[in-house]
Amino acid sequence: MFTAMLGEAWHAMGANRLRTFLTMLGMVIGVSAVVLMMAIGQGAEAAVKRSISAMGSNLFVILSGPPTSGGARSATGNAPSLNVKDANAISDLDGVVGVAPVTMGKAQIVFGSNNWNTDIIGTTPSYLEIRGWNLSDGYAFSESDIRSATRVALVGKTIVQNIFGDNIDPVGKTIRIKQSPFVILGVLDSKGQTLDGRDQDDTIIVPLTTAQRKLFGNQLPGSVRQIIVQAESDNTMPMVEEGLNSLLNQRHNIREGSDSDFYVRNLTAIANSAAETTRTMSLLLGAIASVSLLVGGIGIMNIMLVSVTERTREIGIRMAIGARQRDILLQFLLEAIVISIVGCLIGIAIGVGGAIMVNIITKAEIIISANSVAIAFGVAASIGVFFGFYPARKAAMLNPIEALRYQ
Amino acid sequence: MQKSVIEVSSLYKDYQTAAGPFPVLKDVNLHIENGDYVAIMGPSGSGKSTFMNILGCLDKPSKGQYVLDGHPVANMEQNAVAQVRNKTIGFVFQGFNLLARSSLLDNVALPLVYAGVDKAERHARAKLLLEKVGLANYLNSRPNQISGGQQQRVAIARALVNKPSLILADEPTGNLDSVTSEEIMTLFSELNQEGITIVLVTHETDIAEHASRQVRFLDGRIVQDTRTREIGTSNTSSKSIAIPISEAI
Ligand SMILES: Nc1ncnc2c1ncn2[C@@H]1O[C@H](COP(=O)(O)OP(=O)(O)OP(=O)(O)O)[C@@H](O)[C@H]1O
Ligand SMILES: [Mg+2]
């Protein structure tokens, strides 16, 4: 009985192919939009999550210069007001588990005939710990390298690819940074992109003192651009933030009410709000896509209503030969469901294909989860039932004799 | 005395119109016994189709009693009425009323779908009946590919497929020429010979003569009721069907 009805639904759809196709198109577009948007949204979320976990946890960064209302501004850190002694003092604060003074800049590096312009970070070994950054090869520099400002370097994966290629083991090789030779001690693990899309693997890390004295000759000896501070836990972060501010205000002789010459940023909070933003974005994208699904559903309802009117006589005949109300209801409901499910399957295929295309063209991360496909399928099927029900009921409630007389 | 299939007493039917209720059937009383062959006649607008629709449980009377096969139809719930239309009654309409998009085989098999018969048996039974009405070569044709007489044969096959005890035919020959009409009437006579009760509406006296009893409607009332033959003795002028249909189904 059920298979016979399914066959009839299929038959009825085939009877008016163009119309069935156009009705289905609404569903196809809706479902493919939902699948595509979910793939992009979930991909973006995953990328953000990954860069957050790559950043390290419970971090503050202290920047030189006055705070600005818009957060970071390009001048921030330009007039160095922080120094290594500040960093040493911070490490004695309660709740602080790691401190890394950082100075940085751009520099040209050369190996053999290969050139590359990259970011140089001068810092202490604790930087790697705070950032949870491991080495994939070789070993890190130590405190004694800091003391004697040796010319050693740790290089990121992007550097390795661009100036060494696949066949040369960079560990032990000498590269030139701003003309001076540096021995490569180790290769950094890949960290991927930052939240703002910078390639963190396009980085060279050298001892802080080496960077200060030999690469970026400083106006004030011992000054640093930033100090990165790791708090013990999420809970101690407010306390540490307060401690940092009062300690540095005191050390820099800043009186209450006047502008300070440094700025403490809670990196973890910024990262969390970025994660929140992408989540909201992907929800929004999904919601917009769902609207097209709704429109597709209304299209199905519209066509089913037309179909019921057109086939009034057929309904009358079926009733006259013994169809019960629920047989008629089921017949039209099945038709709506078959249209929406077939449309949904095509839509899933197009959505998945589109997501793969987006990935290929823009290199943006996408995630096609079984979950999102299942949700799209479930929603589409329910739309078929929901929007198919009213026309089907209308058909089932027809008076047999009036339906038979209908011309 | 044979048991009555149809017992209609003091039946009224009003149509609701803009100008108020419009009476179409006024105090109709009729008993039809099992195996009878009744022709209903009367001028246009006298209420014949209205009466047939009530007999077929497609429409409800405004007032009065209709007992079908011992069951008062008024007390039946929707699904039971659908089952009566499916199993007890076979309809034949003036306009044939076949499903244009379905093959003849599927058309004839359709009542069996609603009876819950499985596919193999549906097709077997539909095929056998199409053979009995002489359309064995048209199983997969569409209704628009065959003549009116052939379409009416398909409709009769469809009416018979669920082995009904009662056939209701509203002007079954109304759209057919006289030769084709004769063929259809022969088919009805044979069915009646096999014990199926037949009620048919016609305008033509020579068609009505095939029946055993003629009932005349005028202005919503039965004005004449004549028996011309005993029940079960309708004339089968030519034996076109070798195997009785009841054996086929
Ligand atoms: N749905 C309806 N609403 C209002 N009046 C109706 C309706 N159906 C039929 N009638 C009226 O009821 C009367 C009887 O109609 P019916 O179809 O039963 O006549 P009939 O005897 O079958 O006529 P014919 O021989 O022309 O088929 C007619 O006057 C018709 O106008
Ligand atoms: Mg009529």
Side-chain angles (χ1 to χ4, degrees), chain B residues 99-169:
Chain B
L99 296 188
R101 280 187 282 111
S102 305
S103 68
L104 301 191
L105 192 69
D106 285 343
N107 262 292
V108 175
L110 194 57
L112 298 175
V113 170
Y114 296 121
V117 175
D118 69 60
K119 188 172 176 173
E121 198 185 336
R122 285 204 303 269
H123 280 185
R125 267 158 78 175
K127 188 163 174 257
L128 213 55
L129 274 162
L130 278 168
E131 281 164 10
K132 293 316 151 204
V133 297
L135 291 169
N137 296 331
Y138 298 88
L139 300 183
N140 295 312
S141 307
R142 312 267 138 177
N144 61 3
Q145 295 168 329
I146 58 176
S147 73
Q150 287 170 322
Q151 287 187 53
Q152 197 57 299
R153 287 165 179 272
V154 175
I156 292 170
R158 179 179 67 187
L160 292 172
V161 78
N162 231 345
K163 304 174 200 170
S165 51
L166 173 63
I167 296 258
L168 298 177

Side-chain angles (χ1 to χ4, degrees), chain B residues 44-45 47-50 94 170-171 201 203:
Chain B
S44 191
K48 307 182 294 294
S49 294
T50 305
Q94 176 176 359
D170 192 353
E171 300 189 45
V201 172
H203 282 287

Side-chain angles (χ1 to χ4, degrees), chain A residues 1 3-5 8 11-13 15 311 313-328 331 399-401 404-405, chain B residues 15 50 53 57-59 78-79 82-83 85-86 89 91 93 95 97-99 101-102 106-107 110-111 113-114 116-117 122 142 158:
Chain A
M1 170 90 179
T3 50
M5 295 215 137
E8 283 202 30
H11 207 76
M13 285 167 56
R311 288 157 69 187
R313 208 179 157 80
E314 172 192 328
I315 294 165
I317 296 172
R318 287 175 184 273
M319 286 176 159
I321 61 174
R324 290 158 296 186
Q325 287 192 341
R326 72 172 132 106
D327 295 324
I328 302 292
Q331 181 191 343
N399 177 314
I401 195 66
L404 268 174
R405 271 206 207 107
Chain B
Y15 280 117
T50 305
N53 291 335
C57 307
L58 292 170
D59 209 353
Q78 293 249 356
N79 285 346
Q83 184 145 353
R85 294 200 287 253
N86 186 236
I89 302 171
F91 282 101
F93 303 92
N97 276 344
L98 300 174
L99 296 188
R101 280 187 282 111
S102 305
D106 285 343
N107 262 292
L110 194 57
V113 170
Y114 296 121
V117 175
R122 285 204 303 269
R142 312 267 138 177
R158 179 179 67 187

Side-chain angles (χ1 to χ4, degrees), chain B residues 177-196:
Chain B
D177 64 48
S178 56
V179 178
T180 320
S181 298
E182 255 335 288
E183 286 169 20
I184 296 294
M185 292 320 292
T186 309
L187 203 49
F188 277 126
S189 297
E190 285 161 0
L191 292 173
N192 180 243
Q193 292 270 296
E194 289 158 26
I196 297 176

Side-chain angles (χ1 to χ4, degrees), chain A residues 95-318:
Chain A
V96 170
V97 291
V99 179
V102 175
T103 195
M104 73 258 280
K106 283 248 169 212
Q108 192 74 17
I109 60 170
V110 181
F111 176 77
S113 59
N114 295 337
N115 265 286
W116 193 251
N117 194 285
T118 188
D119 288 321
I120 311 286
I121 292 179
T123 188
T124 57
S126 55
Y127 180 81
L128 297 178
E129 259 169 65
I130 291 175
R131 303 265 338 252
W133 209 342
N134 296 323
L135 296 176
S136 60
D137 200 5
Y139 56 92
F141 51 77
S142 63
E143 291 297 337
S144 77
D145 290 302
I146 304 279
R147 275 193 298 276
S148 44
T150 47
R151 288 192 168 97
V152 292
L154 307 174
V155 294
K157 278 275 154 62
T158 306
I159 311 272
V160 173
Q161 274 161 21
N162 283 290
I163 72 168
F164 293 101
D166 295 333
N167 301 325
I168 301 170
D169 175 13
V171 176
K173 297 287 184 299
T174 299
I175 55 170
R176 287 181 169 274
I177 306 179
K178 281 197 168 177
Q179 319 297 340
S180 9
F182 278 75
V183 176
I184 293 174
L185 288 185
V187 177
L188 294 160
D189 257 350
S190 178
K191 274 268 186 202
Q193 294 195 332
T194 57
L195 285 175
D196 50 14
R198 260 186 315 109
D199 177 11
Q200 301 185 80
D201 298 325
D202 191 359
T203 302
I204 291 182
I205 299 181
V206 300
L208 177 66
T209 45
T210 316
Q212 285 172 328
R213 291 172 208 164
K214 293 168 181 164
L215 291 175
F216 311 117
N218 254 322
Q219 309 97 304
L220 296 165
S223 69
V224 295
R225 290 279 192 94
Q226 312 177 341
I227 299 172
I228 294 176
V229 179
Q230 183 168 39
E232 194 180 353
S233 70
D234 198 30
N235 294 337
T236 58
M237 288 197 80
M239 180 189 89
V240 170
E241 182 161 10
E242 210 156 291
L244 288 173
N245 278 312
S246 63
L247 177 74
L248 290 175
N249 276 332
Q250 189 196 332
R251 286 181 59 85
H252 293 192
N253 295 317
I254 291 160
R255 262 173 284 131
E256 206 154 328
S258 56
D259 278 352
S260 50
D261 57 358
F262 64 90
Y263 174 40
V264 178
R265 289 174 78 189
N266 183 333
L267 280 186
T268 304
I270 291 169
N272 287 344
S273 77
E276 196 56 46
T277 308
T278 42
R279 206 169 13 253
T280 311
M281 277 296 291
S282 75
L283 269 178
L284 198 67
L285 286 177
I288 292 170
S290 311
V291 170
S292 55
L293 208 53
L294 194 72
V295 173
I298 293 171
I300 289 183
M301 180 149 157
N302 194 7
I303 289 300
M304 291 311 295
L305 282 172
V306 172
S307 174
V308 167
T309 309
E310 273 185 357
R311 288 157 69 187
T312 299
R313 208 179 157 80
E314 172 192 328
I315 294 165
I317 296 172
R318 287 175 184 273

Side-chain angles (χ1 to χ4, degrees), chain A residues 401-402 405, chain B residues 13-17 22-25 40-53 59 94 170-171 201-203 217 220:
Chain A
I401 195 66
E402 275 164 23
R405 271 206 207 107
Chain B
K13 175 73 184 176
D14 300 340
Y15 280 117
Q16 298 306 320
T17 62
F22 177 73
V24 175
L25 295 179
I40 294 179
M41 302 191 65
S44 191
S46 55
K48 307 182 294 294
S49 294
T50 305
F51 184 61
M52 287 294 271
N53 291 335
D59 209 353
Q94 176 176 359
D170 192 353
E171 300 189 45
V201 172
T202 182
H203 282 287
F217 271 68

